[in-house]
Amino acid sequence: MGKDVIIACDFSSAEETLTFLDRFTGRKPFVKIGMELFYSAGPEIVREIKKRGHRIFLDLKLHDIPNTVKKSMAALSSLDVDICNLHAAGGTAMMKAALEGLTRPDGTRPLLIAVTQLTSIDQRTLEEELHIREPLADVVMDYARNAASAGLDGVVCSPLEAGKVHEACGNGFLTVTPGIRFADSSSDDQKRIMTPAQARTEGCDYIVVGRVITAAEDPVAAYERCCAEFID
Ligand code: C5P
């Protein structure tokens, strides 16, 4: 898969999500489904969106013992999603088990990417609550290396980290980056942002874009603008 724009469909109901996606009559966007929608609408929403021809990043961030993650990943893989993810903090054995679970009988599997550290974790929380004494940036890069050595396909990271991740883990290791805003749009609650054009220059492989598209007056035009800056 090449570079693409992934729309974060952060809606709470299947109806709202499908009504939103109905607006896209040309290019079928790659969509991200998160915990809120999956837990409220269930696997059926994944099947329905897939049936409509969209690719899907199922953002459920699994983190459990290897055997449980392996079996859960097998269930997600049977939904025919394109990208799944987990927390690198679950360890290398868990990540390897996840890959095994994802692999279908015919040998194909969705891409698997890791969350290194949540952007809601700061240095103080890392040290005082998680008892990790290293600088946060080093932890992020170490977790990315662990994910690469476990055989994963990439990480979710800030667009500002994409270059360093590629340096450490190779250019083929995918960087999937939220925190995207147009030069003329509000940053909302995102602290470290880039435009789609800057993300392209940084070498990001996929950008995850939510409110810039979902809350736009014309979501299709906002999506096309993202694509024009990032891919076309
Ligand atoms: O609306 P916005 O473009 O900020 O949405 C970004 C999407 O990426 C949301 O679904 C958010 O949960 C997700 N995300 C993020 N930062 C991370 C990981 C995921 O913004 N570090």
Side-chain angles (χ1 to χ4, degrees):
M1 289 200 277
K3 282 185 184 292
D4 213 341
V5 173
I6 303 179
I7 304 182
C9 285
D10 293 323
F11 301 112
S12 57
S13 75
E15 195 191 3
E16 203 182 346
T17 309
L18 296 175
T19 304
F20 171 77
L21 292 177
D22 278 344
R23 305 175 73 138
F24 295 83
T25 51
R27 181 171 6 201
K28 292 266 178 195
F30 202 134
V31 304
K32 178 172 89 75
I33 297 177
M35 290 189 229
E36 182 186 10
L37 183 61
F38 190 77
Y39 292 148
S40 57
E44 201 41 52
I45 185 65
V46 175
R47 293 192 191 96
E48 181 58 34
I49 293 175
K50 205 60 208 178
K51 203 164 80 189
R52 292 169 177 229
H54 298 270
R55 287 187 292 160
I56 297 179
F57 167 21
L58 192 53
D59 178 19
L60 299 182
K61 302 187 180 72
L62 276 68
H63 188 175
D64 208 317
I65 60 170
N67 187 53
T68 302
V69 169
K70 179 178 171 178
K71 290 181 171 170
S72 308
M73 285 294 185
L76 299 183
S77 184
S78 72
L79 288 174
D80 197 25
V81 295
D82 299 277
I83 306 181
C84 289
N85 66 355
L86 45 63
H87 277 282
T92 308
M94 187 200 78
M95 291 193 266
K96 287 182 176 167
L99 281 174
E100 280 177 36
L102 276 183
T103 306
R104 305 180 182 110
D106 65 359
T108 63
R109 64 165 176 80
L111 294 172
L112 181 62
I113 61 175
V115 174
T116 54
Q117 285 291 326
L118 296 169
T119 41
S120 50
I121 301 288
D122 58 11
Q123 188 67 37
R124 188 204 66 77
T125 313
L126 193 72
E127 290 181 16
E128 293 178 15
E129 297 182 24
L130 305 187
H131 300 283
I132 297 172
R133 310 277 169 216
E134 317 292 323
L136 181 57
D138 294 357
V139 176
V140 166
M141 293 310 298
D142 269 1
Y143 281 25
R145 281 191 208 95
N146 288 347
S149 69
L152 267 67
D153 303 294
V155 286
V156 182
C157 64
S158 153
L160 296 143
E161 291 158 358
K164 277 193 184 151
V165 169
H166 282 145
E167 261 171 44
C169 305
N171 280 335
F173 194 65
L174 301 174
T175 52
V176 179
T177 59
I180 302 295
R181 294 292 180 272
F182 291 131
D184 54 359
S185 60
S186 134
S187 58
D188 302 307
D189 51 356
Q190 295 283 17
K191 302 256 186 303
R192 304 196 302 145
I193 55 174
M194 268 195 192
T195 65
Q198 288 168 331
R200 175 187 186 143
T201 307
E202 288 301 308
C204 299
D205 297 288
Y206 292 90
I207 52 172
V208 175
V209 188
R211 286 161 289 181
V212 158
I213 296 174
T214 56
E217 224 166 273
D218 184 346
V220 177
Y223 169 69
E224 292 298 343
R225 182 176 168 194
C226 281
C227 292
E229 282 194 25
F230 186 64
I231 346 173
D232 295 340

